[in-house]
Amino acid sequence: RLKQERWSDAVDLCTLALGVDAKCVKALYRRGCAHLEQKEYAKARTDLAVAAQVEPNNKAVKSKLVEAERTEMTDAKKAKGANDYDRFAKIELSDDEDGGLAALPPPPPAVAQEEARPPPPAAPAPAPTPPPPAAQPKPASAPTEPSG
């Protein structure tokens, strides 16, 4: 039924097969694919995740699970009207002689930026240096007689 794009019939038949064997990877995979085509992303992810748990090495199941997640995100963005070019929607273009620079807001003054910054921490006061040792008076020596 998948090749015929009869998604509802495919879901019904796979559900019957899963009633007989709840871990039939083929039925889980096909029902997940049918849910994906019907844009029932939560159901598709559930079926494909269970199939991936039953057969962790099944590349087709893993790939379809990733596809389901990506498709869901893409459709959610489309529904919100978001696209990659939204960031350009806020830019105003102008045919002014100055190249459209007049439409741009002026940059904030540098002074305002510096005022907003907290002052740097104060440097610790240097430790007082000890005074040099006091000059000790030399003991007076006894006068010596010249030898002669």
Side-chain angles (χ1 to χ4, degrees):
R1 303 288 186 242
L2 289 177
K3 289 182 181 180
Q4 297 172 354
E5 298 182 3
R6 294 171 56 188
W7 313 123
S8 296
D9 291 343
V11 168
D12 293 341
L13 291 173
C14 291
T15 302
L16 286 174
L18 290 167
V20 175
D21 180 8
K23 294 189 178 193
C24 178
V25 175
K26 189 174 186 177
L28 286 166
Y29 175 79
R30 289 184 175 178
R31 187 170 75 175
C33 291
H35 282 309
L36 182 59
E37 292 297 327
Q38 292 176 320
K39 299 184 188 257
E40 295 175 344
Y41 300 113
K43 291 179 182 180
R45 280 187 287 112
T46 301
D47 284 342
L48 294 168
V50 171
Q53 286 177 346
V54 174
E55 281 188 19
N57 296 328
N58 190 323
K59 291 180 183 178
V61 171
K62 286 182 180 181
S63 136
K64 192 57 83 168
L65 182 56
V66 169
E67 179 186 335
E69 291 167 350
R70 285 184 183 161
T71 305
E72 181 177 16
M73 285 191 292
T74 302
D75 283 0
K77 283 183 180 180
K78 286 180 185 176
K80 287 193 321 186
N83 61 38
D84 290 338
Y85 300 106
D86 279 349
R87 63 179 175 240
F88 299 114
K90 296 177 184 175
I91 298 175
E92 294 181 19
L93 300 177
S94 173
D95 290 330
D96 294 37
E97 291 177 10
D98 61 356
L101 295 177
L104 297 175
V111 176
Q113 289 179 354
E114 289 190 20
E115 289 175 357
R117 291 185 193 154
T129 56
Q136 300 276 336
K138 293 185 179 179
S141 55
T144 57
E145 292 183 14
S147 58

